[in-house]
Amino acid sequence: MNKPQSAPPSTSLGQADATQAATTAPAVEFDLGIVGGGPTGSALALLLARLAPDPARIVLFQSETVTRWNIASHEDNRVIALNEGTRVLFDDLDVWPNDATPIETIHVSQRGRLGRTLITRDEFNVPALGYVVRYSSLHTKLLQAAQQAGVTVIDGKASSVMQEGDVVSIRTDKERVKVALAVRADGMNHGARPTTSVKSHSWAKPG
């Protein structure tokens, strides 16, 4: 007479550990979260979208629907100066605005003192030393290009960026999003910055 055999356990120890880990580990919704949808953040998102297998896994938090002066981004009349290297980069990304004004000569002098210095584009054999660009034109083209590349864009200012285990939680006034890696591209002196509790790395700009 055969002895009855006990039924095998329904779940092995390894499977149980995996199941517990799956239920306790916070879900990552995106691989990368970029806080700040201005030119720097949008350009970064656009460049990374070229390399990403799934650009939709990159999320860009766009807080500049209205600037800190309560002006809609398309009505922002500020201008910024960009160098020739930036023009080459943005031209390659097909986001260079048509209304950019070239800087052909730079005059350096001090009022009431002798001497002056003139720097011309011909000395460096470049089309221009730099360009004056309307902020709104550049911002609009970069943001549209990032969206067309498949980057996920969330409207709303990030109020906090917090480490939660192995993920980073980014909270806006509408929702909370969990990402594997967060990048701050919202400027160093931009008024009230989000509350941050994340192990971070920074790079000093050359003097």
Side-chain angles (χ1 to χ4, degrees):
M1 182 175 180
N2 295 331
K3 294 181 179 180
Q5 296 180 353
S6 59
S10 59
T11 305
S12 67
L13 182 59
Q15 289 174 325
D17 291 341
T19 301
Q20 182 179 3
T23 56
T24 57
V28 174
E29 300 168 75
F30 297 94
D31 296 326
L32 177 67
I34 301 174
V35 179
T40 301
S42 297
L44 175 61
L46 187 54
L47 286 166
L48 292 177
R50 289 183 164 188
L51 306 174
D54 183 5
R57 299 279 298 173
I58 301 171
V59 59
L60 179 67
F61 291 86
Q62 157 62 3
S63 61
E64 297 194 357
T65 304
V66 177
T67 70
R68 62 183 183 273
W69 294 286
N70 292 321
I71 300 174
S73 57
H74 66 276
E75 298 175 342
D76 193 338
N77 292 322
R78 287 178 295 168
V79 295
I80 56 176
L82 302 174
N83 61 25
E84 171 64 10
T86 303
R87 184 202 65 79
V88 172
L89 172 63
F90 286 170
D91 198 40
D92 179 61
L93 293 174
D94 198 26
V95 295
W96 187 247
N98 297 324
D99 56 355
T101 301
I103 301 173
E104 300 178 350
T105 304
I106 297 177
H107 177 169
V108 183
S109 64
Q110 186 174 359
R111 185 176 181 179
R113 299 293 182 91
L114 295 175
R116 69 170 187 171
T117 297
L118 288 179
I119 305 172
T120 67
R121 66 178 185 177
D122 296 332
E123 295 178 55
F124 295 91
N125 194 30
V126 292
L129 295 171
Y131 300 83
V132 177
V133 178
R134 191 180 300 276
Y135 181 91
S136 58
S137 299
L138 179 62
H139 177 257
T140 299
K141 296 203 72 169
L142 277 166
L143 190 60
Q144 289 177 347
Q147 291 174 309
Q148 291 170 0
V151 173
T152 301
V153 177
I154 293 179
D155 290 328
K157 184 176 179 60
S159 58
S160 68
V161 181
M162 311 295 289
Q163 189 86 41
E164 294 182 1
D166 293 332
V167 304
V168 180
S169 176
I170 302 175
R171 185 184 295 275
T172 71
D173 54 351
K174 300 177 182 177
E175 59 187 311
R176 184 177 68 168
V177 178
K178 292 182 179 180
V179 302
L181 179 68
V183 175
R184 299 292 301 272
D186 51 353
M188 292 299 296
N189 299 300
H190 199 274
R193 304 185 70 210
T195 303
T196 304
S197 176
V198 179
K199 185 181 295 184
S200 62
H201 300 276
S202 61
W203 291 266
K205 295 181 180 179

